[in-house]
Amino acid sequence: MPSAVPPIPGLRRYTRWDEIPDGLYTKTQLGSQGLKPGGEPVAQALYHGNCYAPLYLIGEAVAKRACTSAQRAALDRARALQYVCRRCGHQDHEPLGRGRWCDRCSVAAALFDLHDQAQQRARELVADPAAALLVVDVDPDALPTAQAVAVIGVRGRDVLYTAPAGEYGTPERSAVIDRLDALFADRCVVEEPDFTGPLSRFPDRLICQPNQSFQPGPDPVHPWAAPHSKVRPSVARIWAPWFGWTDRPSSTIPSIPSAWGDDVPLAWSRSLDLVADGRSMVDLLHRIADGSEPVWERAAWMVDGYGEPDLSWDRRRNGLGAAA
């Protein structure tokens, strides 16, 4: 119920129900008699302290059109379906709402929606000639010769730049940073890790002192090095929802396993050869884009046997809501 219904200008107001003369009824009162208003309201009554209900003349009221037997049957079926999951057929004791998902299928639908969005993001990157993958490895405990950077074009899989990263504060490191500034001035940056790391693979490690923490947020001087940017895509953030692994059955947040094992292997190479690692990640994006990359065999939408959730109705509803 709204917090307030303002009065209609120009109509007489009744602030007490016992003041209303005979022959004036609200729409609800007419409906209880099988009638509906046949004309414009002639007065209004105050209720709930700050709401006004229009009053209509009963002499102008007309009979409400009754439902046919077919319409009544259709309404009964629609009410009954409110308790039935539209994916698995489970019947709940309470209405399931507009989405009509049971608890289990709502988890599967949410994860599959993210899975589908990951494929759409991969397709956008694969089709974008300006998208480039930045691979960084600047482990402070590694030898300087093992620290390097590589830039791979996502669409053509070509090597755009590769060089030793050098040590922090050296002319070699400064030259690498200047080259990346120029290279990513008009390109979409794709990085490897998500917030789980590893730390040495974050692009912002190139502009930080060893073992120094970096404050989150955009860097006005080096935008490509902004840490943990949700706007900038990463291979890990695309692969995780595509693969569909979760740490518990009821979770709707796909993630990367904290410890890689035989059942969930790393989907791309991670070695000292950054060019090979970069091409491995670009190949992964291409496989996700064309749908050939494997999905976790225990993903929520695969283990229950009901197939991929149909999200067309939900997306159409959300699109109408956004348009409104």
Side-chain angles (χ1 to χ4, degrees), residues 1-323:
M1 180 176 293
S3 58
V5 178
I8 303 174
L11 295 184
R12 181 174 178 178
R13 304 178 192 177
Y14 293 98
T15 57
R16 294 171 55 91
W17 288 96
D18 56 4
E19 296 176 351
I20 301 175
D22 293 339
L24 294 184
Y25 293 88
T26 65
K27 188 180 295 185
T28 302
Q29 291 171 331
L30 290 175
S32 64
Q33 303 179 47
L35 302 173
K36 65 178 181 179
E40 297 298 322
V42 296
Q44 53 195 330
L46 179 67
Y47 69 100
H48 288 314
N50 58 353
C51 298
Y52 284 86
L55 298 173
Y56 303 87
L57 290 170
I58 193 170
E60 297 179 353
V62 296
K64 295 175 64 176
R65 188 176 63 178
C67 291
T68 64
S69 58
Q71 290 174 329
R72 180 62 62 185
L75 289 173
D76 292 340
R77 286 195 301 269
R79 291 190 185 98
L81 285 175
Q82 291 300 313
Y83 296 83
V84 180
C85 176
R86 61 189 173 100
R87 178 169 178 261
C88 69
H90 169 75
Q91 187 161 359
D92 206 289
H93 61 281
E94 293 182 355
L96 298 175
R98 291 189 297 176
R100 283 187 52 218
W101 301 108
C102 66
D103 289 342
R104 184 172 182 178
C105 289
S106 65
V107 173
L111 288 170
F112 182 75
D113 189 21
L114 296 175
H115 166 87
D116 190 60
Q117 291 179 31
Q119 185 179 39
Q120 295 299 323
R121 191 69 176 104
R123 288 174 175 173
E124 293 172 0
L125 292 174
V126 168
D128 186 0
L133 172 67
L134 173 59
V135 188
V136 175
D137 193 351
V138 286
D139 187 351
D141 297 327
L143 295 174
T145 55
Q147 303 185 31
V149 298
V151 181
I152 313 294
V154 175
R155 184 175 182 178
R157 300 181 174 93
D158 50 328
V159 180
L160 303 178
Y161 176 65
T162 181
E167 294 184 296
Y168 180 81
T170 62
E172 188 177 18
R173 176 69 64 86
S174 298
V176 169
I177 294 174
D178 292 341
R179 183 71 180 91
L180 294 177
D181 287 339
L183 189 62
F184 288 114
D186 55 353
R187 287 184 176 273
C188 172
V189 186
V190 185
E191 62 184 24
E192 174 191 359
D194 64 352
F195 66 93
T196 60
L199 190 64
S200 63
R201 294 264 178 164
F202 286 132
D204 64 271
R205 293 295 95 191
L206 287 170
I207 60 176
C208 289
Q209 296 182 14
N211 301 319
Q212 175 192 4
S213 61
F214 196 84
Q215 296 297 326
D219 188 316
V221 181
H222 312 291
W224 51 267
H228 310 189
S229 172
K230 293 183 178 180
V231 177
R232 187 173 62 229
S234 83
V235 175
R237 283 197 299 270
I238 293 175
W239 175 81
W242 169 264
F243 191 66
W245 185 89
T246 56
D247 56 357
R248 60 185 186 279
S250 61
S251 175
T252 58
I253 302 176
S255 56
I256 294 180
S258 56
W260 299 97
D262 295 335
D263 58 335
V264 186
L266 183 62
W268 61 92
S269 66
R270 185 175 287 167
S271 65
L272 296 179
D273 188 349
L274 296 193
V275 172
D277 293 351
R279 283 178 169 158
S280 172
M281 286 181 265
V282 169
D283 289 341
L284 173 65
L285 293 177
H286 280 260
R287 293 195 302 271
I288 292 176
D290 61 31
S292 60
E293 175 64 18
V295 177
W296 189 37
E297 61 183 9
R298 296 196 297 276
W301 65 89
M302 299 182 66
V303 295
D304 55 13
Y306 295 106
E308 297 178 352
D310 182 8
L311 303 174
S312 57
W313 186 86
D314 302 77
R315 290 175 175 173
R316 184 166 61 251
R317 184 194 71 190
N318 293 336
L320 291 174

